[in-house]
Amino acid sequence: MLQHDSPAPSTHDADWWRQAVVYQVYPRSFADSDGDGIGDIPGVTSRLPYLADLGVDAVWLSPFYPSQLADGGYDVADYRDVDPRLGTLEDFDAMVAEADRLGLRVMVDIVPNHSSDQHVWFQQALAAAPGSAARERYVFRDGRGPDGELPPTDWPSSFGGPAWTRVPDGQWYLHLYAPQQPDFNWDNPEVREDFHTTLRFWSDRGVAGFRVDVAHGLAKDLRAPLRDLGEQLSYQPGALPLDGSHPLWDRDAVHEIYRGWRQVFDAYDPPRFAVAEAWVGASRRTAYASADGLGQAFNFDFLGAPLDATEMFTIIDAALADARRAGATSTWVLSNHDVVRHVSRYALPGDFTKQDIEAWLLTDGREPEPDLPKGMRKARAAALLMLALPGSAYVYQGEELGLPEVADLDRADLRDPMWIRSDGRVKGRDGCRVPLPWTAEGASFGFGRGGSWLPQPADWGRYAAETQRGDKESFLELYREALRLRRTLVTDEGLEWVGPREGVRQGLLHFARTGDWHTVSNLGDEPVPLPRGEVLLASGPLTGDKLPPWTTAWLRATAPGR
Ligand code: GLC
């Protein structure tokens, strides 16, 4: 079968990200130090020893900037400060210092497509006249119709409704997300310069890298007359043209912006690193991940696919080839703050689509009834598969505890703009953002002294870090042991598939990495014989020399092949 050769192992510090395990913290839901029900920066600092003990390499923080939380913090009012409810810049510095002491790197989220409508620039734009320099930092246009009462184009917002909102003087401004998130005009050099300043601001504070939000959205075709989308109304990656010709998304001109960012990153020692959140077709991903661009790009195909051997084989093989072409490494993601947690996804029927999952959420997770033990078992198998692949794994907070989605949040508690903007047709992403359980009992299960901004389920304590620590069968201990072993096993970036394609069709994924580290995932329905060798770790109990369904094992093979 195919072989992915590897360049020499990277030992230089600048390459730390090539095979890192990055833990995503959603700050408002991680740990609350002052009892106001909202997680904060000192809360993150207090739990860094837990992350060091877990064995991750870096921590990525979702936005913690001043924000009115119209989109959970992805509506940034000031890119160079900390939201007062979450702490201060001094708290941030203390967190970086503690991370440094523990050998953890810190990454932050940069949201360049849009700001908050509370941002000083947008406030200035509202106060200024049409055609003014202040309005040129955003996208203001006159409307259509006799009195300009119709939006300038048919462009929809990703959260539902039109992408244009009218201001009192009659002009409209563009927001591809919520109305509180006006899109920047990236043709304006002032916008470009200001983001360079922001990247330097955090780099100077010791940040090692950036996660770039909506990286494929910045460069828009804003030449007059603006183009209607007509049939092209869907923003799904599969629906975007592969030649960069869409007026809004994934235009080739976006890479010129990132070449400018690369110059900023490379002025540091070690150079700063970035990973693109770009919902684009796989073949378009390499441009974001290139060495003169951001460096790495999220591979959402892995996250979006069912745990099926043929699909996984195809996705993994293509992602490794793409990353190699870009001179990057691939990323592997199972969950993040935007998707239903994978324990729950895997607990649903295997051919469930994204639309089915949205419909399932609207039944409060009751129809169909999720098979949680199956979901857990598959999630454990997926974790060992992901952590054995060459490249970087991104672990979403609580994934290491096996947290399921909280699908039955009361509608009155929902905060996601998707819920609000869709008039109740899409329940949204709050169910994966419920604050973490740290202790078996106590106020908000150890999240803080008080309550939690989203209610936690009554049985949350059974998933608590404290409950699981030391229990060899637990999710947490599986992740800890996998991360400990991974440090000793990962050498270069190569991967060799083992065994015939026929095996894949029967549900078996088997690959080897240097040093005879073999990974075997049985994603089929029947037990399969294990290759000969020493079992280093398995995601579930083995039956003699057989690997049961939905189980992954790591082995040190004694003979090549099976
Ligand atoms: C990204 C974020 C998501 C946010 C959106 C708009 O997709 O991950 O949470 O809603 O961008 O900023």
Side-chain angles (χ1 to χ4, degrees):
M1 275 217 224
L2 294 173
Q3 186 168 341
H4 293 270
D5 290 328
S6 171
S10 45
T11 48
H12 181 29
D13 202 30
D15 288 335
W16 69 269
W17 54 271
R18 293 188 72 87
Q19 300 216 66
V21 178
V22 181
Y23 185 96
Q24 180 188 358
V25 165
Y26 192 74
R28 289 177 175 82
S29 303
F30 189 65
D32 170 20
S33 73
D34 58 9
D36 66 355
I38 305 174
D40 47 39
I41 298 290
V44 177
T45 309
S46 73
R47 296 293 183 182
L48 287 177
Y50 165 85
L51 296 182
D53 176 66
L54 179 61
V56 302
D57 301 297
V59 183
W60 143 38
L61 280 91
S62 280
F64 48 81
Y65 314 111
S67 169
Q68 62 178 322
L69 303 183
D71 182 19
Y74 284 90
D75 46 322
V76 179
D78 182 348
Y79 289 86
R80 303 193 278 270
D81 204 352
V82 175
D83 189 301
R85 287 163 294 184
L86 272 65
T88 61
L89 281 171
E90 288 67 40
D91 292 331
F92 183 88
D93 292 342
M95 179 195 66
V96 173
E98 172 69 350
D100 203 44
R101 189 184 71 78
L102 293 165
L104 296 167
R105 292 180 166 87
V106 175
M107 291 172 61
V108 300
D109 221 305
I110 291 291
V111 188
N113 182 66
H114 45 263
S115 70
S116 159
D117 62 357
Q118 305 299 304
H119 192 286
V120 61
W121 276 5
F122 194 71
Q123 290 299 315
Q124 288 170 1
L126 287 182
S132 59
R135 288 213 170 168
E136 275 306 300
R137 296 174 180 137
Y138 293 91
V139 185
F140 280 83
R141 292 290 184 276
D142 293 330
R144 297 192 286 199
D147 297 313
E149 73 281 10
L150 298 172
T153 63
D154 62 355
W155 301 347
S157 142
S158 306
F159 290 153
W164 297 96
T165 290
R166 204 170 192 196
V167 299
D169 62 33
Q171 277 210 310
W172 299 73
Y173 68 89
L174 178 68
H175 53 85
L176 290 179
Y177 292 89
Q180 299 91 338
Q181 294 170 294
D183 281 44
F184 281 118
N185 169 17
W186 274 88
D187 293 338
N188 185 335
E190 211 186 339
V191 171
R192 295 185 182 221
E193 199 40 57
D194 196 63
F195 271 88
H196 286 188
T197 305
T198 296
L199 296 173
R200 288 194 194 98
F201 179 87
W202 295 108
S203 298
D204 289 344
R205 295 194 108 89
V207 157
F210 301 90
R211 177 261 188 194
V212 183
D213 188 69
V214 192
H216 59 312
L218 282 48
K220 301 176 179 82
D221 183 359
L222 297 173
R223 287 169 301 182
L226 296 179
R227 271 195 278 158
D228 268 339
L229 288 172
E231 300 287 295
Q232 286 188 307
L233 279 181
S234 168
Y235 296 162
Q236 293 301 316
L240 298 180
L242 293 176
D243 58 0
S245 64
H246 196 281
L248 301 174
W249 302 105
D250 192 26
R251 297 177 62 76
D252 293 334
V254 81
H255 301 297
E256 189 205 321
I257 297 171
Y258 298 134
R259 281 193 284 277
W261 289 25
R262 175 49 56 193
Q263 285 172 10
V264 175
F265 298 154
D266 285 353
Y268 288 86
D269 182 22
R272 294 335 189 211
F273 148 78
V275 58
E277 186 219 23
W279 294 87
V280 298
S283 64
R284 302 277 301 172
R285 204 180 289 136
T286 44
Y288 295 85
S290 70
D292 66 350
L294 294 175
Q296 207 178 42
F298 282 133
N299 164 14
F300 291 126
D301 303 341
F302 191 70
L303 173 154
L307 201 56
D308 168 270
T310 304
E311 289 216 35
M312 283 292 164
F313 173 83
T314 309
I315 288 168
I316 293 168
D317 207 56
L320 292 176
D322 284 348
R324 176 61 41 80
R325 270 196 294 129
T329 51
S330 187
T331 62
W332 311 105
V333 189
L334 290 168
S335 277
N336 63 32
H337 66 293
D338 288 331
V339 298
V340 166
R341 284 187 177 273
H342 61 277
V343 161
S344 295
R345 294 201 316 265
Y346 292 155
L348 295 168
D351 50 359
F352 237 49
T353 63
K354 195 165 174 286
Q355 285 73 22
D356 293 334
I357 289 178
E358 278 174 9
W360 173 76
L361 281 178
L362 286 175
T363 70
D364 289 345
R366 291 200 178 87
E367 192 53 51
E369 186 78 41
D371 180 349
L372 265 193
K374 180 178 95 176
M376 298 270 177
R377 190 180 172 119
K378 289 171 81 170
R380 291 171 64 97
L384 286 201
L385 170 63
M386 167 173 86
L387 293 172
L389 291 168
S392 302
Y394 285 76
V395 174
Y396 177 51
Q397 66 176 38
E399 158 180 345
E400 80 282 14
L401 303 175
L403 288 186
E405 180 82 1
V406 184
D408 59 353
L409 283 170
D410 200 292
R411 279 158 168 73
D413 290 321
L414 299 179
R415 309 285 179 87
D416 190 340
M418 278 186 170
W419 165 248
I420 297 156
R421 299 265 304 160
S422 72
D423 290 329
R425 280 191 307 278
V426 181
K427 204 166 172 201
R429 303 161 294 179
D430 292 307
C432 67
R433 300 174 178 180
V434 173
L436 291 194
W438 292 94
T439 55
E441 289 174 17
S444 56
F445 299 104
F447 167 64
R449 296 196 296 276
S452 74
W453 67 278
L454 277 173
Q456 298 160 305
D459 71 346
W460 222 217
R462 60 187 267 229
Y463 297 103
E466 172 193 74
T467 312
Q468 298 195 36
R469 185 72 165 87
D471 171 0
K472 287 281 168 236
E473 310 292 302
S474 72
F475 241 95
L476 178 58
E477 292 298 342
L478 178 73
Y479 268 78
R480 281 188 69 240
E481 183 59 7
L483 294 179
R484 188 190 68 76
L485 275 171
R486 182 185 151 103
R487 278 179 191 268
T488 67
L489 294 168
V490 167
T491 50
D492 62 28
E493 296 168 7
L495 172 148
E496 189 178 348
W497 294 104
V498 182
R501 285 285 170 97
E502 189 50 30
V504 176
R505 277 191 285 276
Q506 285 159 8
L508 195 67
L509 287 181
H510 182 175
F511 56 84
R513 297 188 57 186
T514 324
D516 276 339
W517 173 21
H518 283 237
T519 297
V520 193
S521 282
N522 180 4
L523 308 181
D525 296 326
E526 299 296 326
V528 295
L530 268 175
R532 263 175 300 153
E534 176 201 356
V535 176
L536 301 171
L537 186 61
S539 66
L542 304 176
T543 39
D545 58 358
K546 293 271 172 55
L547 187 65
W550 306 118
T551 310
T552 299
W554 289 0
L555 298 102
R556 187 161 323 265
T558 44
R562 294 179 45 204

